[in-house]
């Protein structure tokens, strides 16, 4: 009888450790999000807290589909790993994304795209697009429009390279527009705050 009780106690402890590890991961991941840089710096402290509270941390393995603009519903920030944007039905990548890059619904890409994990492990923070639309500012819309314009230019360069037989993957950053960045309005929040 005592061994069953010990086994039950051990399993409860294991469950608590996994929960703590997930909470620890969440805290560490949210701390790595650039809250004091565009587009997040244009949010009020209350809006930043709201995004923190409604964020999801997701892990993907090599080759797993992360997002598609045909399904949509989310905006992503790439924390670790690499992601490739691919046109649906075409094998060649349009762009290679790395830690610090944004992708998702707010870019409104001209072609049907999907984002696929391109490294052994990919960790992203994602938010529902509806939440982003609620907290959006003109500055943020300009930021994501700039990202969208840069992605379209990369798509055109990629297609031009394919036509010339080069087929090279574009690897430039897709995180910021070409326009100057205004100063942040709000200080960095403590990601452990409730």
């Amino acid at each position: 009888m005592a061994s069953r009780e010990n086994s039950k106690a051990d399993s409860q402890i294991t469950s608590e450790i996994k929960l703590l590890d997930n909470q620890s991961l969440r805290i560490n991941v949210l701390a790595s999000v650039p809250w004091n840089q565009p587009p997040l710096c244009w949010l009020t402290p209350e809006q930043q807290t709201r995004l923190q509270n409604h964020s999801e941390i997701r892990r993907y393995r090599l080759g797993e589909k992360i997002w598609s603009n045909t399904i949509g519903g989310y905006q992503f920030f790439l924390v670790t790993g690499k992601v490739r944007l691919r046109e649906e039905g075409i094998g060649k990548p349009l762009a290679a994304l790395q830690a610090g890059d944004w992708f998702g619904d707010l870019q409104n890409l001209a072609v049907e795209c999907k984002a696929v994990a391109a490294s052994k492990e990919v960790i992203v923070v994602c938010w529902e697009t509806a939440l982003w639309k609620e907290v959006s500012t003109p500055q943020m819309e300009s930021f994501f429009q700039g990202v969208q314009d840069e992605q379209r230019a990369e798509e055109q360069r990629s297609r031009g390279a394919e036509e010339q037989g080069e087929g090279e993957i574009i690897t430039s950053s897709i995180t910021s527009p070409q326009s100057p960045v205004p100063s942040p309005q709000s200080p960095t929040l403590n990601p452990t705050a409730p």
Side-chain angles (χ1 to χ4, degrees), residues 33-104:
V33 174
W35 297 101
N36 61 347
Q37 295 175 12
L40 298 169
C41 67
W42 296 316
L43 298 170
T44 65
E46 294 79 20
Q47 290 171 320
Q48 286 188 355
T49 300
R50 187 171 175 203
L51 279 179
Q52 288 177 1
N53 291 338
H54 289 88
S55 64
E56 293 179 33
I57 312 302
R58 296 184 184 175
R59 286 179 153 163
Y60 295 91
R61 286 184 251 157
L62 182 65
E64 290 184 327
K65 185 176 180 178
I66 301 171
W67 169 84
S68 167
N69 62 355
T70 57
I71 299 169
Y74 289 94
Q75 183 66 20
F76 296 86
F77 177 76
L78 181 54
V79 177
T80 62
K82 294 183 181 185
V83 170
R84 290 213 173 118
L85 284 182
R86 298 179 182 272
E87 190 171 350
E88 286 284 357
I90 297 177
K92 293 214 181 245
L94 296 173
L97 308 179
Q98 57 190 356
D101 287 339
W102 292 89
F103 63 98

Side-chain angles (χ1 to χ4, degrees), residues 118 150 176:
E150 194 172 324
S176 61

